[in-house]
Amino acid sequence: MMYEIQISNNYDFKAENYSTHFPNLHKYPATMLPQIGIELFKELKIHKHRLLDPYCGTGSSVLAGMASGFSEFHGFDINPLAILIAKAKYTKLNKKKFLNYRKNVECVVYYEEKNISPPPVTNIDFWFSKRTIKDLSVIRNSILEEVDDKKYQSLFWLAFSETVRFVSYTRNSEFKLYRMTEEKRKSFYPDVFELYFKNLDKVLNTYIEIYLPLLKKQNFHFYSKEFTYKKTKYDVILTSPPYGDSKTTVAYGQFSTLSNEWIGFPNSRKVDSQLMGGKKVKTLYNKGVLSSPIKKINRVDQKRALEVSSFYMDLEKSIKEVAQAIIYKGFSIYIVGNRTVKKVTLPTDQFIAEQFEKNGFRHVLTYERSISSKVMPAQNSPTNVVGKKINTMHKEYIIVCQKF
């Protein structure tokens, strides 16, 4: 069975991106446009309910819910950096207290500098100069010593994370970890302290101007782990899950790993392997709408077919958990792209509708929208032949199902 797809220009938002209305506190790959959720909730007449996002990233779905009168939000994501960003955005803080903390940190950084040992960052000398390591260690220690309230620490860590990435030897235009050339490294001498406080002021101003006014009496709950159904029921899911395994689509773990290690999150190097499709499987996924496409991939490349199978096995398991958590007549809204592997397009939109119908839902509609500004790789190499690349997906699908 094929589920009908409607083309809707109402959800393209061609002249807008994430920061048009909601500048983020920290750069993050492939963030969902909150505007999509806001318009969907209007169209479906959904408001004032409990919202779940099982792959929440930095919390874009929360912004859509807040604009629609929701009062309770639950978000799950395996990447601790994503949860740090989400918590920072939606925690109500006192401006005066924050500025006092900032003053204390600045005094320690500039006037009480010490020789501080860095945290155990993998291949630290490969990614950072000795001077940069020293300066980052001073800032990190100052945050730990001077900001004794963990709620306030989050904003300081976000500025620190942005600084870590910029002052490293990574090519900042990439989400994956690529080291800049030796020639560029020889002339790369960033002012770590100056950059950190510049980032900190930017974070503070964005928080005060954009997010603080939105925070009233809502309840926010964010968890750095995989979603599994317990007892809590939700009225609606709004989410944009990964389009495929992190290794070959958006490298969330690689993007975050240096920041996660410098901040001190455990198992920072294991994020990608813990995400959907991160574990190896020995059998092909051979059910429903994906059976034929995966067989086609397998005829060309068995290894890639197994990697694709791993992702969809995990997504199937995740949807089963999520489906149990939705109330009767509640809505599931997934926003995904249909990736191409070995020149075979994988109908993820059809798969999601199929899986929810298997778990007690009815497919309501699927909209196709043009992707105008989602931050993703512009090209990939589906054949792994050097220099041979194709454009990545330029369409997204909004799949709406309702529980019965």
Side-chain angles (χ1 to χ4, degrees):
M1 174 181 177
M2 295 298 290
Y3 299 94
E4 181 184 358
I5 298 173
Q6 304 174 50
I7 297 176
S8 176
N9 296 329
N10 294 336
Y11 293 94
D12 287 351
F13 300 103
K14 288 184 178 180
E16 300 183 20
N17 56 32
Y18 189 99
S19 62
T20 301
H21 302 295
F22 307 104
N24 215 334
L25 297 181
H26 188 291
K27 186 177 181 181
Y28 200 76
T31 47
M32 183 190 81
L33 282 180
Q35 295 93 308
I36 298 173
I38 292 170
E39 289 303 313
L40 279 169
F41 290 152
K42 287 180 183 176
E43 179 178 341
L44 298 170
K45 296 180 172 59
I46 301 174
H47 56 88
K48 297 183 180 179
H49 293 296
R50 178 186 286 163
L51 183 145
L52 166 67
D53 189 340
Y55 331 94
C56 71
T58 64
S60 299
S61 59
V62 173
L63 288 167
M66 291 171 73
S68 306
F70 286 54
S71 59
E72 187 173 345
F73 306 88
H74 295 248
F76 293 77
D77 202 289
I78 288 174
N79 189 350
L81 179 61
I83 294 299
L84 178 70
I85 299 168
K87 285 183 175 180
K89 284 199 292 192
Y90 303 117
T91 300
K92 194 169 186 176
L93 303 176
N94 180 277
K95 179 181 175 181
K96 184 177 179 181
K97 188 174 180 180
F98 184 96
L99 292 174
N100 285 335
Y101 279 133
R102 186 203 181 285
K103 181 180 179 181
N104 293 341
V105 169
E106 187 171 24
C107 286
V108 171
V109 166
Y110 279 111
Y111 304 113
E112 297 181 27
E113 187 175 334
K114 312 167 192 174
N115 289 319
I116 306 295
S117 298
V121 176
T122 306
N123 296 327
I124 191 169
D125 293 315
F126 182 82
W127 294 111
F128 302 90
S129 69
K130 293 188 183 303
R131 177 65 195 180
T132 295
I133 293 170
K134 181 176 181 292
D135 289 349
L136 286 174
S137 300
V138 168
I139 296 172
R140 180 179 185 273
N141 189 67
S142 299
I143 296 171
L144 291 171
E145 285 190 349
E146 299 302 322
V147 188
D148 55 7
D149 188 325
K150 290 190 179 298
K151 291 187 297 184
Y152 287 82
Q153 267 189 16
S154 295
L155 291 172
F156 285 86
W157 287 132
L158 292 190
F160 182 71
S161 172
E162 289 279 37
T163 305
V164 164
R165 186 168 178 82
F166 188 86
V167 302
S168 71
Y169 287 144
T170 57
R171 291 176 356 207
N172 277 282
S173 60
E174 304 278 355
F175 288 134
K176 291 186 176 181
L177 285 175
Y178 292 111
R179 196 181 188 214
M180 65 175 63
T181 63
E182 183 179 359
E183 182 179 355
K184 288 186 177 181
R185 294 199 305 274
K186 287 179 179 178
S187 59
F188 186 63
Y189 300 105
D191 187 325
V192 180
F193 292 167
E194 180 182 5
L195 182 62
Y196 173 69
F197 287 106
K198 181 179 178 180
N199 285 334
L200 185 59
D201 289 338
K202 182 179 178 181
V203 167
L204 175 58
N205 290 335
T206 303
Y207 171 80
I208 291 172
E209 293 175 10
I210 304 298
Y211 295 100
L212 188 56
L214 300 175
L215 304 177
K216 308 300 181 183
K217 294 183 179 180
Q218 306 97 331
N219 292 313
F220 303 98
H221 307 272
F222 295 103
Y223 312 91
S224 183
K225 62 181 180 180
E226 180 182 0
F227 173 79
T228 54
Y229 173 61
K230 302 297 182 183
K231 293 182 179 180
T232 304
K233 292 284 188 178
Y234 304 90
D235 301 279
V236 62
I237 304 166
L238 174 62
T239 192
S240 181
Y243 297 166
D245 61 284
S246 184
K247 179 180 177 182
T248 58
T249 52
V250 179
Y252 296 100
Q254 282 196 51
F255 170 79
S256 310
T257 187
L258 294 178
S259 295
N260 283 336
E261 286 192 305
W262 267 101
I263 293 170
F265 291 123
N267 302 317
S268 298
R269 291 268 163 175
K270 297 181 179 179
V271 169
D272 281 333
S273 65
Q274 293 172 340
L275 294 170
M276 290 193 294
K279 297 179 178 62
K280 292 183 180 180
V281 296
K282 296 181 180 180
T283 57
L284 296 178
Y285 190 91
N286 61 0
K287 296 180 284 185
V289 296
L290 283 176
S291 178
S292 178
I294 290 179
K295 285 179 181 177
K296 289 180 182 178
I297 296 170
N298 188 55
R299 287 196 285 268
V300 179
D301 189 329
Q302 184 182 41
K303 180 175 179 290
R304 291 295 290 119
L306 290 171
E307 289 171 347
V308 168
S309 294
S310 174
F311 173 77
Y312 286 105
M313 288 175 185
D314 285 346
L315 183 55
E316 178 184 54
K317 178 184 174 183
S318 176
I319 289 174
K320 186 175 181 179
E321 291 286 334
V322 166
Q324 297 178 71
I326 302 303
I327 65 167
Y328 175 67
K329 291 194 175 181
F331 285 93
S332 164
I333 304 169
Y334 274 52
I335 302 169
V336 299
N338 291 345
R339 61 193 294 236
T340 298
V341 176
K342 300 297 177 181
K343 300 183 180 180
V344 177
T345 299
L346 294 158
T348 306
D349 65 306
Q350 299 290 313
F351 175 79
I352 288 172
E354 178 182 76
Q355 290 303 313
F356 272 105
E357 288 213 333
K358 284 183 178 180
N359 285 279
F361 284 68
R362 175 178 62 85
H363 175 252
V364 176
L365 61 87
T366 296
Y367 285 141
E368 178 185 284
R369 66 175 292 268
S370 296
I371 301 175
S372 58
S373 57
K374 195 164 190 175
V375 183
M376 294 177 64
Q379 294 183 320
N380 64 12
S381 179
T383 59
N384 290 325
V385 176
V386 175
K388 189 173 182 180
K389 296 186 177 183
I390 65 169
N391 292 331
T392 53
M393 62 193 75
H394 59 279
K395 300 288 185 182
E396 277 186 331
Y397 299 89
I398 304 166
I399 306 101
V400 180
C401 299
Q402 188 172 24
K403 193 167 189 176
F404 282 99

